Amino acid sequence: MGIATLMLLITAISGLLQPGVTASELTHVEQVIALEAVDAGRNPRPVKLTGTVVDAGTDQRVFSLHDGRNTTGIALPDDIPMPKLGDAVELDGVTETFRLEGLSFPRVKANTLMITGKGELPPSPAVIRVAEVNSMRNFDQWISIEGYVVRWKYRNTDREIVIVLADASG
């Protein structure tokens, strides 16, 4: 490879980076969720994300960030105020491994968070079948489910509503 070709390649790669972002930083949620879950925590990668808050937990220091294409969970330290649903945010952090009932998922642990205004809620969510929910393939994603409410209950201790759904397949 000649010097001119190498310079052209370096220029092309550097043009893909956002200002203030190093080559190793992940700047899209898609890059975060593509990581092997265990590796996300074992070898944390720096992350710089922007997006809209589409879920903000009430009891935990976690919210869901949608960057226009994908969603991931963001864990906050105690010293950072929790954003509200619909806030547009910018954050810096590192990847981590989130474990839930024997499964692992890559997520982000924020170091800094700035609310930049009100964001746009994502376009229509992906429509999935009720049977797909249990597969966890869509964990953290912006989805829509159609079905029949079989039963529901409110858990006051967790402040959550549990809904049991069925679709045409049962």
Side-chain angles (χ1 to χ4, degrees):
M1 179 181 295
I3 292 176
T5 306
L6 184 57
M7 291 288 285
L8 183 60
L9 180 60
I10 291 170
T11 303
I13 291 171
S14 66
L16 297 174
L17 298 176
Q18 297 175 9
V21 175
T22 65
S24 62
E25 282 181 322
L26 305 180
T27 58
H28 300 283
V29 170
E30 181 176 36
Q31 295 169 304
V32 173
I33 62 178
L35 296 173
E36 290 294 325
V38 174
D39 193 49
R42 189 174 292 146
N43 300 303
R45 300 274 306 275
V47 174
K48 182 177 229 142
L49 297 174
T50 61
T52 302
V53 176
V54 293
D55 174 52
T58 56
D59 292 337
Q60 300 174 351
R61 305 284 305 149
V62 176
F63 70 92
S64 297
L65 177 84
H66 192 282
D67 71 354
R69 295 192 62 184
N70 296 288
T71 309
T72 192
I74 310 292
L76 290 176
D78 290 337
D79 62 334
I80 297 179
M82 189 71 156
K84 293 180 176 64
L85 180 67
D87 282 348
V89 299
E90 294 178 5
L91 66 90
D92 290 303
V94 294
T95 59
E96 68 175 1
T97 301
F98 175 74
R99 290 180 173 78
L100 176 69
E101 299 188 21
L103 300 172
S104 297
F105 303 93
R107 278 191 164 179
V108 174
K109 180 175 154 184
N111 296 323
T112 65
L113 176 85
M114 182 170 56
I115 297 172
T116 59
K118 281 294 180 191
E120 293 289 323
L121 287 178
S124 299
V127 178
I128 66 167
R129 295 178 0 165
V130 171
E132 291 177 67
V133 173
N134 289 335
S135 74
M136 302 299 273
R137 282 189 305 263
N138 296 292
F139 185 75
D140 275 338
Q141 296 310 300
W142 184 252
I143 60 170
S144 173
I145 305 165
E146 289 189 23
Y148 304 96
V149 176
V150 176
R151 73 175 180 269
W152 67 275
K153 67 179 173 179
Y154 175 72
R155 292 185 188 169
N156 192 32
T157 56
D158 298 330
R159 290 188 279 182
E160 69 181 11
I161 296 174
V162 177
I163 300 173
V164 178
L165 294 175
D167 62 9
S169 66

Coordinates of all heavy atoms in Angstrom, one line a residue, residues 1-78:
M1 N 0.9 -1.2 0.0 CA 0.0 0.0 0.0 C 0.9 1.2 0.0 O 1.8 1.4 0.8 CB -0.9 0.0 1.2 CG -1.8 1.1 1.4 SD -2.9 1.1 2.8 CE -3.9 -0.3 2.5
G2 N 0.7 2.1 -0.9 CA 1.5 3.3 -1.0 C 1.1 4.4 0.0 O 0.0 4.3 0.6
I3 N 1.9 5.4 0.2 CA 1.7 6.4 1.2 C 0.4 7.2 0.8 O -0.4 7.5 1.7 CB 2.9 7.4 1.3 CG1 4.1 6.6 1.9 CG2 2.6 8.6 2.1 CD1 5.3 7.4 2.0
A4 N 0.2 7.5 -0.5 CA -1.0 8.2 -0.9 C -2.2 7.5 -0.6 O -3.2 8.0 -0.1 CB -0.9 8.6 -2.4
T5 N -2.2 6.1 -0.8 CA -3.4 5.3 -0.5 C -3.7 5.3 1.0 O -4.8 5.4 1.4 CB -3.2 3.9 -1.1 OG1 -2.8 4.0 -2.4 CG2 -4.4 3.0 -0.9
L6 N -2.6 5.1 1.8 CA -2.8 5.1 3.2 C -3.3 6.4 3.7 O -4.2 6.4 4.6 CB -1.4 4.8 3.9 CG -1.4 4.6 5.4 CD1 -2.4 3.5 5.8 CD2 0.0 4.3 5.9
M7 N -2.8 7.6 3.2 CA -3.3 8.9 3.6 C -4.8 9.0 3.3 O -5.6 9.5 4.1 CB -2.5 10.0 3.0 CG -1.1 10.1 3.5 SD -1.0 10.7 5.1 CE -1.3 12.4 4.8
L8 N -5.2 8.5 2.1 CA -6.6 8.6 1.7 C -7.4 7.8 2.6 O -8.5 8.2 3.0 CB -6.7 8.2 0.2 CG -8.1 8.2 -0.4 CD1 -8.6 9.7 -0.4 CD2 -8.0 7.7 -1.8
L9 N -7.0 6.6 3.0 CA -7.7 5.7 3.9 C -7.9 6.3 5.2 O -9.0 6.4 5.8 CB -7.0 4.3 4.0 CG -7.7 3.3 4.9 CD1 -9.1 3.0 4.4 CD2 -6.8 2.1 5.0
I10 N -6.8 6.9 5.8 CA -6.9 7.6 7.1 C -7.8 8.7 7.0 O -8.7 9.0 7.9 CB -5.5 8.0 7.6 CG1 -4.7 6.8 7.9 CG2 -5.6 8.9 8.8 CD1 -3.2 7.0 8.1
T11 N -7.8 9.5 6.0 CA -8.7 10.7 5.8 C -10.1 10.2 5.8 O -11.0 10.8 6.4 CB -8.3 11.5 4.6 OG1 -7.0 11.9 4.7 CG2 -9.2 12.7 4.4
A12 N -10.4 9.2 5.0 CA -11.8 8.6 4.9 C -12.3 8.2 6.2 O -13.4 8.4 6.6 CB -11.8 7.5 3.9
I13 N -11.5 7.4 7.0 CA -11.9 6.9 8.3 C -12.1 8.1 9.2 O -13.1 8.1 10.0 CB -10.9 5.9 8.8 CG1 -10.9 4.6 8.0 CG2 -11.2 5.6 10.3 CD1 -9.8 3.7 8.3
S14 N -11.2 9.0 9.3 CA -11.4 10.1 10.2 C -12.6 11.0 9.9 O -13.2 11.6 10.8 CB -10.2 11.0 10.3 OG -10.0 11.6 9.0
G15 N -13.0 11.0 8.7 CA -14.2 11.7 8.3 C -15.5 11.1 8.8 O -16.6 11.7 8.8
L16 N -15.5 9.8 9.1 CA -16.6 9.1 9.6 C -16.9 9.4 11.1 O -18.0 9.2 11.6 CB -16.5 7.6 9.5 CG -16.4 7.1 8.0 CD1 -16.1 5.6 8.0 CD2 -17.7 7.4 7.3
L17 N -15.9 9.9 11.8 CA -16.0 10.1 13.2 C -16.7 11.5 13.5 O -16.6 12.4 12.8 CB -14.6 10.2 13.9 CG -13.8 8.9 13.8 CD1 -12.4 9.1 14.4 CD2 -14.5 7.7 14.5
Q18 N -17.5 11.5 14.6 CA -18.1 12.7 15.0 C -17.0 13.6 15.7 O -16.1 13.0 16.3 CB -19.2 12.4 16.0 CG -20.4 11.6 15.4 CD -21.4 11.2 16.5 OE1 -21.3 11.7 17.6 NE2 -22.3 10.4 16.1
P19 N -17.2 14.9 15.7 CA -16.2 15.7 16.4 C -16.1 15.4 17.9 O -17.1 15.1 18.6 CB -16.8 17.2 16.3 CG -17.7 17.1 15.1 CD -18.2 15.6 15.1
G20 N -14.9 15.3 18.4 CA -14.7 15.0 19.8 C -14.8 13.5 20.2 O -14.9 13.1 21.3
V21 N -14.9 12.6 19.2 CA -15.1 11.2 19.4 C -13.8 10.5 18.9 O -13.3 10.7 17.9 CB -16.3 10.6 18.6 CG1 -16.4 9.1 18.8 CG2 -17.6 11.3 19.1
T22 N -13.3 9.6 19.8 CA -12.1 8.9 19.4 C -12.5 7.6 18.6 O -13.7 7.2 18.7 CB -11.3 8.4 20.7 OG1 -12.1 7.5 21.4 CG2 -10.9 9.6 21.5
A23 N -11.6 7.0 17.9 CA -11.9 5.9 17.0 C -12.5 4.7 17.8 O -13.3 3.9 17.3 CB -10.7 5.5 16.3
S24 N -12.1 4.6 19.1 CA -12.6 3.4 19.9 C -14.0 3.6 20.5 O -14.6 2.7 21.0 CB -11.6 3.0 20.9 OG -11.4 4.1 21.8
E25 N -14.5 4.9 20.5 CA -15.8 5.1 21.2 C -16.9 4.6 20.3 O -16.9 4.7 19.1 CB -16.0 6.6 21.4 CG -15.2 7.2 22.6 CD -15.4 8.7 22.7 OE1 -15.5 9.4 21.7 OE2 -15.5 9.1 23.9
L26 N -17.9 4.1 21.0 CA -19.1 3.6 20.3 C -20.1 4.8 20.3 O -20.3 5.4 21.4 CB -19.7 2.4 21.1 CG -18.8 1.2 21.3 CD1 -19.6 0.1 22.0 CD2 -18.2 0.7 20.0
T27 N -20.6 5.2 19.2 CA -21.5 6.3 19.0 C -22.9 6.0 18.6 O -23.7 6.9 18.4 CB -20.8 7.3 18.0 OG1 -20.7 6.7 16.8 CG2 -19.5 7.8 18.5
H28 N -23.2 4.8 18.4 CA -24.6 4.3 18.0 C -25.0 3.2 18.9 O -24.2 2.3 19.2 CB -24.6 3.9 16.6 CG -24.2 5.0 15.6 ND1 -25.1 6.0 15.3 CD2 -23.1 5.2 15.0 CE1 -24.4 6.9 14.5 NE2 -23.2 6.4 14.3
V29 N -26.2 3.2 19.3 CA -26.8 2.1 20.1 C -26.6 0.7 19.4 O -26.3 -0.3 20.1 CB -28.3 2.3 20.5 CG1 -28.9 1.1 21.1 CG2 -28.4 3.5 21.4
E30 N -26.7 0.7 18.1 CA -26.5 -0.5 17.4 C -25.1 -1.2 17.7 O -25.0 -2.4 17.8 CB -26.6 -0.2 15.9 CG -26.5 -1.5 15.0 CD -26.7 -1.1 13.5 OE1 -26.3 0.0 13.1 OE2 -27.2 -2.0 12.8
Q31 N -24.1 -0.3 17.9 CA -22.8 -0.8 18.2 C -22.7 -1.5 19.6 O -22.1 -2.5 19.8 CB -21.7 0.3 18.1 CG -21.6 0.8 16.7 CD -20.7 2.1 16.7 OE1 -21.1 3.1 17.4 NE2 -19.6 2.1 16.0
V32 N -23.5 -0.9 20.5 CA -23.5 -1.4 21.9 C -24.2 -2.7 21.9 O -23.7 -3.7 22.4 CB -24.2 -0.4 22.8 CG1 -24.4 -1.0 24.2 CG2 -23.5 0.9 22.9
I33 N -25.4 -2.8 21.3 CA -26.2 -4.1 21.4 C -25.6 -5.2 20.5 O -25.9 -6.3 20.7 CB -27.7 -3.8 21.1 CG1 -27.9 -3.3 19.7 CG2 -28.3 -2.9 22.1 CD1 -29.4 -3.1 19.3
A34 N -24.7 -4.8 19.6 CA -24.0 -5.9 18.8 C -22.9 -6.6 19.6 O -22.4 -7.6 19.2 CB -23.4 -5.3 17.6
L35 N -22.4 -6.0 20.7 CA -21.4 -6.6 21.5 C -21.8 -7.9 22.2 O -23.0 -8.0 22.5 CB -20.9 -5.6 22.6 CG -20.3 -4.3 22.2 CD1 -20.1 -3.4 23.4 CD2 -19.0 -4.5 21.5
E36 N -20.9 -8.8 22.4 CA -21.1 -9.9 23.2 C -21.4 -9.4 24.6 O -20.6 -8.6 25.1 CB -20.0 -10.9 23.2 CG -19.8 -11.6 21.9 CD -20.9 -12.6 21.5 OE1 -21.4 -13.2 22.5 OE2 -21.2 -12.7 20.3
A37 N -22.5 -9.9 25.2 CA -22.9 -9.3 26.5 C -21.8 -9.4 27.6 O -21.5 -8.4 28.3 CB -24.2 -10.0 27.0
V38 N -21.2 -10.6 27.7 CA -20.2 -10.7 28.8 C -19.0 -9.8 28.5 O -18.4 -9.2 29.4 CB -19.8 -12.2 28.9 CG1 -18.6 -12.4 29.9 CG2 -21.0 -13.0 29.4
D39 N -18.6 -9.7 27.2 CA -17.4 -8.9 26.8 C -17.7 -7.4 27.1 O -16.8 -6.7 27.4 CB -17.1 -9.1 25.3 CG -15.8 -8.6 25.0 OD1 -14.8 -8.9 25.7 OD2 -15.7 -7.9 24.0
A40 N -19.0 -7.0 27.0 CA -19.3 -5.6 27.3 C -18.9 -5.2 28.7 O -18.5 -4.0 28.9 CB -20.8 -5.4 27.1
G41 N -19.0 -6.1 29.6 CA -18.6 -5.8 31.0 C -17.1 -6.1 31.3 O -16.4 -5.4 32.0
R42 N -16.7 -7.2 30.7 CA -15.3 -7.7 30.9 C -14.3 -6.7 30.3 O -13.2 -6.5 30.9 CB -15.1 -9.1 30.4 CG -13.8 -9.7 30.8 CD -13.7 -11.2 30.3 NE -14.7 -12.0 31.1 CZ -15.3 -13.0 30.6 NH1 -15.1 -13.4 29.3 NH2 -16.2 -13.7 31.3
N43 N -14.6 -6.2 29.1 CA -13.7 -5.3 28.4 C -14.5 -4.0 28.1 O -14.9 -3.8 26.9 CB -13.2 -5.9 27.2 CG -12.3 -7.1 27.5 OD1 -11.4 -7.1 28.2 ND2 -12.8 -8.3 26.9
P44 N -14.8 -3.2 29.1 CA -15.7 -2.0 28.8 C -15.2 -1.1 27.7 O -14.0 -0.8 27.6 CB -15.7 -1.3 30.1 CG -15.3 -2.3 31.2 CD -14.4 -3.2 30.4
R45 N -16.1 -0.7 26.8 CA -15.7 0.2 25.7 C -16.3 1.6 26.0 O -17.4 1.7 26.6 CB -16.4 -0.3 24.4 CG -15.9 -1.7 24.0 CD -14.7 -1.7 23.2 NE -14.7 -0.8 22.0 CZ -15.2 -1.1 20.8 NH1 -15.7 -2.3 20.6 NH2 -15.1 -0.2 19.8
P46 N -15.6 2.7 25.7 CA -16.1 4.0 25.9 C -17.3 4.2 25.0 O -17.3 3.8 23.8 CB -15.0 4.9 25.6 CG -14.0 4.1 24.8 CD -14.2 2.7 25.1
V47 N -18.3 5.0 25.5 CA -19.5 5.2 24.7 C -19.9 6.7 24.8 O -19.7 7.3 25.8 CB -20.7 4.4 25.3 CG1 -22.0 4.7 24.7 CG2 -20.4 2.9 25.3
K48 N -20.3 7.2 23.6 CA -20.8 8.6 23.5 C -22.1 8.5 22.7 O -22.0 8.3 21.5 CB -19.7 9.5 22.9 CG -20.2 11.0 22.8 CD -19.0 11.8 22.2 CE -18.9 13.0 23.1 NZ -17.5 13.4 23.4
L49 N -23.2 8.7 23.4 CA -24.5 8.5 22.7 C -25.4 9.8 22.8 O -25.3 10.5 23.8 CB -25.3 7.3 23.3 CG -24.7 5.9 23.2 CD1 -25.5 4.9 23.9 CD2 -24.5 5.5 21.7
T50 N -26.3 9.9 21.9 CA -27.3 10.9 21.9 C -28.6 10.2 21.6 O -28.6 9.3 20.8 CB -27.1 12.1 21.0 OG1 -27.1 11.6 19.6 CG2 -25.8 12.8 21.3
G51 N -29.7 10.7 22.1 CA -31.0 10.1 21.8 C -32.1 10.7 22.7 O -31.9 11.7 23.4
T52 N -33.2 9.9 22.7 CA -34.4 10.3 23.4 C -34.7 9.3 24.4 O -34.7 8.1 24.2 CB -35.6 10.5 22.4 OG1 -35.3 11.4 21.4 CG2 -36.9 10.9 23.2
V53 N -35.1 9.7 25.6 CA -35.5 8.8 26.7 C -36.9 8.3 26.4 O -37.9 9.0 26.3 CB -35.5 9.5 28.1 CG1 -36.0 8.6 29.2 CG2 -34.1 10.1 28.4
V54 N -37.0 6.9 26.2 CA -38.3 6.3 25.9 C -38.9 5.5 27.1 O -40.0 5.0 27.0 CB -38.2 5.4 24.7 CG1 -38.0 6.3 23.4 CG2 -37.2 4.3 24.8
D55 N -38.1 5.4 28.2 CA -38.6 4.8 29.4 C -37.7 5.2 30.5 O -36.4 5.2 30.4 CB -38.5 3.2 29.3 CG -38.8 2.5 30.6 OD1 -39.9 2.8 31.2 OD2 -38.0 1.7 31.1
A56 N -38.3 5.7 31.6 CA -37.5 6.1 32.8 C -38.1 5.4 34.0 O -39.2 5.6 34.4 CB -37.6 7.6 33.0
G57 N -37.2 4.5 34.6 CA -37.7 3.7 35.7 C -38.0 4.6 36.9 O -37.4 5.7 37.1
T58 N -38.9 4.1 37.8 CA -39.2 4.9 39.0 C -38.4 4.4 40.2 O -38.1 5.3 41.0 CB -40.7 4.7 39.3 OG1 -41.0 3.3 39.4 CG2 -41.6 5.3 38.2
D59 N -38.0 3.2 40.3 CA -37.3 2.7 41.5 C -35.8 2.5 41.2 O -35.1 2.5 42.2 CB -37.9 1.3 41.9 CG -39.3 1.5 42.4 OD1 -39.7 2.6 42.9 OD2 -40.0 0.5 42.4
Q60 N -35.4 2.3 40.0 CA -34.1 2.0 39.7 C -33.4 3.2 39.0 O -34.1 4.1 38.5 CB -33.9 0.8 38.8 CG -34.5 -0.4 39.5 CD -34.6 -1.6 38.5 OE1 -34.3 -1.5 37.3 NE2 -34.9 -2.8 39.0
R61 N -32.1 3.2 38.9 CA -31.4 4.3 38.3 C -31.1 3.9 36.9 O -29.9 4.0 36.4 CB -30.1 4.6 39.1 CG -30.3 4.9 40.6 CD -30.8 6.2 40.8 NE -29.9 7.2 40.2 CZ -30.2 8.4 39.8 NH1 -31.5 8.8 39.9 NH2 -29.4 9.2 39.2
V62 N -32.1 3.5 36.1 CA -32.0 3.0 34.8 C -33.0 3.7 33.9 O -34.2 3.9 34.3 CB -32.1 1.5 34.7 CG1 -32.0 1.0 33.2 CG2 -31.1 0.8 35.5
F63 N -32.6 4.1 32.6 CA -33.6 4.5 31.7 C -33.3 3.9 30.3 O -32.2 3.4 30.1 CB -33.7 6.1 31.6 CG -32.5 6.7 31.0 CD1 -32.4 7.0 29.6 CD2 -31.4 7.1 31.8 CE1 -31.3 7.6 29.1 CE2 -30.3 7.7 31.3 CZ -30.2 8.0 29.9
S64 N -34.2 4.0 29.4 CA -34.0 3.5 28.0 C -33.8 4.6 27.1 O -34.6 5.6 27.1 CB -35.2 2.6 27.6 OG -35.3 1.5 28.4
L65 N -32.7 4.5 26.3 CA -32.4 5.6 25.3 C -32.5 5.0 23.9 O -32.0 4.0 23.5 CB -30.9 6.0 25.5 CG -30.4 7.0 24.5 CD1 -30.7 8.4 24.9 CD2 -28.9 6.9 24.3
H66 N -33.3 5.8 23.1 CA -33.5 5.4 21.7 C -32.7 6.5 20.8 O -33.0 7.7 21.0 CB -35.0 5.5 21.3 CG -35.3 4.8 20.0 ND1 -35.1 5.5 18.8 CD2 -35.8 3.6 19.7 CE1 -35.5 4.7 17.8 NE2 -35.9 3.6 18.4
D67 N -31.9 6.0 20.0 CA -31.0 6.9 19.2 C -31.6 7.1 17.8 O -30.8 7.6 16.9 CB -29.6 6.4 19.1 CG -29.4 5.2 18.3 OD1 -30.4 4.6 17.8 OD2 -28.2 4.8 18.1
G68 N -32.8 6.8 17.5 CA -33.4 7.0 16.2 C -33.6 5.7 15.5 O -34.3 5.6 14.5
R69 N -32.8 4.7 15.9 CA -32.9 3.3 15.3 C -33.0 2.2 16.3 O -33.8 1.3 16.0 CB -31.6 3.1 14.4 CG -31.5 4.1 13.3 CD -30.4 3.6 12.3 NE -30.8 2.3 11.8 CZ -30.1 1.6 11.0 NH1 -28.9 2.1 10.6 NH2 -30.5 0.5 10.5
N70 N -32.3 2.3 17.4 CA -32.3 1.2 18.4 C -32.4 1.8 19.8 O -32.2 3.0 20.0 CB -31.0 0.4 18.2 CG -30.9 -0.3 16.9 OD1 -31.7 -1.3 16.6 ND2 -30.0 0.1 16.0
T71 N -32.6 0.9 20.7 CA -32.7 1.3 22.1 C -31.8 0.4 23.0 O -31.6 -0.8 22.7 CB -34.2 1.0 22.6 OG1 -35.1 1.6 21.7 CG2 -34.4 1.6 24.0
T72 N -31.3 1.0 24.1 CA -30.5 0.3 25.1 C -30.8 0.9 26.4 O -31.2 2.0 26.5 CB -29.0 0.3 24.7 OG1 -28.4 -0.7 25.6 CG2 -28.4 1.6 25.0
G73 N -30.5 0.1 27.4 CA -30.6 0.6 28.8 C -29.4 1.3 29.2 O -28.3 1.0 28.9
I74 N -29.6 2.4 30.0 CA -28.6 3.3 30.5 C -28.7 3.3 32.0 O -29.7 3.7 32.6 CB -28.7 4.7 30.0 CG1 -28.8 4.7 28.5 CG2 -27.5 5.5 30.5 CD1 -27.6 4.3 27.7
A75 N -27.6 2.9 32.7 CA -27.6 2.9 34.2 C -26.9 4.2 34.6 O -25.9 4.7 34.0 CB -26.8 1.7 34.7
L76 N -27.5 4.9 35.6 CA -27.0 6.2 36.1 C -26.4 6.0 37.5 O -27.0 5.4 38.4 CB -28.1 7.2 36.2 CG -28.6 7.7 34.9 CD1 -29.8 8.7 35.1 CD2 -27.6 8.4 34.1
P77 N -25.3 6.7 37.8 CA -24.8 6.8 39.2 C -25.8 7.7 40.0 O -26.6 8.5 39.4 CB -23.4 7.4 39.1 CG -23.4 8.1 37.8 CD -24.4 7.4 36.9
D78 N -25.7 7.6 41.3 CA -26.6 8.4 42.2 C -26.5 9.9 42.0 O -27.4 10.6 42.3 CB -26.4 8.0 43.7 CG -26.8 6.6 44.0 OD1 -27.7 6.1 43.2 OD2 -26.3 6.0 44.9

